[in-house]
Amino acid sequence: MNPTKGTRWYQSLFGRPETSPAHSNWGQILDSDGTVLICLHQWGAHEHPSLTSPEAATPGNGLLLFFRVDDFDAALERAQALLARLGEEPHVNPSTRTREFSLRDPDGYYVSISDLSSLELQSRGERAG
């Protein structure tokens, strides 16, 4: 993963302001309250065993990034602006009964975006709609 390219792509997907990564080999995407949404590391950085080399494994193999969002419709619009075609169109997951869609990031990793459930929305003091 190129942290600069990946950081900007995920910032667009999550509707976060565009900023440059703090470091040349890794970056973080933060929510408006400072919560870390995702950390992006360059291959070989920090000696993480699964990140030693793209030759050791195919990017995206065996990894699914799954995010729950409270702005599903806006996230869908942002995803459609990033890509000509989604990997999986919006649908209701029969197990969770929440809306979701999937796409691939610039490095080929599979990313699923899911709406919060009505119970999660109620517990946050929001109205489900």
Side-chain angles (χ1 to χ4, degrees), residues 10 14 16 26-41 66-68:
Y10 278 99
F14 291 119
R16 305 303 313 138
W26 71 281
Q28 293 180 331
I29 309 299
L30 305 177
D31 203 356
S32 57
D33 65 0
T35 300
V36 176
L37 299 174
I38 188 171
C39 293
L40 304 168
H41 291 259
F66 187 89
F67 298 95
R68 305 289 301 263

Side-chain angles (χ1 to χ4, degrees), residues 46-63:
H46 306 119
E47 300 175 357
H48 293 297
S50 61
L51 297 174
T52 57
S53 164
E55 289 79 35
T58 304
N61 183 32
L63 177 67

Side-chain angles (χ1 to χ4, degrees), residues 64-87:
L64 169 66
L65 300 172
F66 187 89
F67 298 95
R68 305 289 301 263
V69 298
D70 60 3
D71 64 344
F72 183 85
D73 294 323
L76 177 59
E77 287 180 24
R78 292 188 301 265
Q80 290 169 328
L82 287 169
L83 298 169
R85 195 177 103 203
L86 297 175

Side-chain angles (χ1 to χ4, degrees), residues 115-129:
D115 204 357
L116 293 177
S117 70
S118 58
L119 291 175
E120 289 170 311
L121 289 170
Q122 288 172 357
S123 72
R124 293 178 67 161
E126 301 174 11
R127 271 198 316 222

